[in-house]
Amino acid sequence: MATTNTNKKEELERKKRLAYTLFVDNGFEQKVIAQITGISEKSISAWKKDGKWEDDKQEARMGFDQQRRRIRQHIDNLLTQIEKRKEPDNVPTASEGDVLSKLTSSAKALQTELSFAHKAEAGKGYVQFVQEVHGQQKAIETVELWHEYLMSTT
């Protein structure tokens, strides 16, 4: 009996992750997500609210290029300030070095996210193709497989 409950919880969690991906990364409407996942719109609405999916969706819309530009601008500004100082003070202090390191790490992490976003965008186009050519059921299967692929590559 415990195995059945565990399996149900795992299945529900899988559908929740799928719903999140469909909403945040792919822009599907709640009604369509409900049809794909077999979860009620009311439950999906609660998940959206509790998980702050709208915030995640807005952040995703901000765009990686804009975020990357902002990080690069901070790095450039700091390096310009450092370079303007006279020798031997024209090298980063420990705190400036720490900031540069953190900004560089953020830029690298953003590049990884950008790679993920490109995969998600390609998947979205493919799923739309499958839906148009092979129908809704095949598209649902494709979305589930694509989501599994994306989760395995992160």
Side-chain angles (χ1 to χ4, degrees):
M1 189 72 165
T3 305
T4 304
N5 287 337
T6 302
N7 290 342
K8 287 181 181 180
K9 284 183 181 180
E10 289 174 358
E11 178 66 13
L12 185 62
E13 188 58 35
R14 186 185 68 76
K15 287 184 177 188
K16 185 176 182 180
R17 287 191 312 267
L18 175 59
Y20 176 89
T21 300
L22 292 172
F23 181 77
V24 174
D25 297 332
N26 297 300
F28 281 75
E29 293 180 14
Q30 195 169 308
K31 183 176 184 175
V32 174
I33 295 169
Q35 292 172 342
I36 291 172
T37 61
I39 302 295
S40 72
E41 286 186 60
K42 184 177 179 181
S43 292
I44 292 171
S45 181
W47 290 347
K48 282 173 48 182
K49 182 179 177 187
D50 294 343
K52 299 183 180 179
W53 293 4
E54 285 288 349
D55 293 345
D56 292 350
K57 188 174 182 179
Q58 290 298 334
E59 186 175 310
R61 284 184 183 162
M62 179 181 180
F64 291 103
D65 288 334
Q66 183 180 359
Q67 292 176 40
R68 192 173 37 209
R69 269 193 303 274
R70 292 182 74 196
I71 291 171
R72 189 174 56 235
Q73 190 175 39
H74 285 299
I75 291 171
D76 289 345
N77 289 342
L78 183 54
L79 289 174
T80 299
Q81 289 175 358
I82 293 166
E83 291 168 351
K84 285 182 180 179
R85 297 191 299 236
K86 293 182 182 181
E87 286 189 27
D89 297 324
N90 61 347
V91 294
T93 65
S95 64
E96 290 168 336
D98 185 49
V99 169
L100 287 168
S101 177
K102 288 177 180 175
L103 287 170
T104 303
S105 293
S106 293
K108 185 176 179 180
L110 191 59
Q111 186 62 40
T112 301
E113 290 178 27
L114 180 59
S115 174
F116 182 83
H118 285 310
K119 290 177 190 175
E121 191 60 32
K124 181 180 177 183
Y126 180 67
V127 168
Q128 288 173 341
F129 165 79
V130 169
Q131 184 176 17
E132 291 169 8
V133 175
H134 299 283
Q136 183 72 11
Q137 185 57 41
K138 191 59 92 172
I140 291 168
E141 294 169 20
T142 302
V143 165
E144 290 173 346
L145 290 170
W146 190 261
H147 182 258
E148 185 178 325
Y149 164 73
L150 287 176
M151 294 299 102
S152 72
T153 62
T154 57

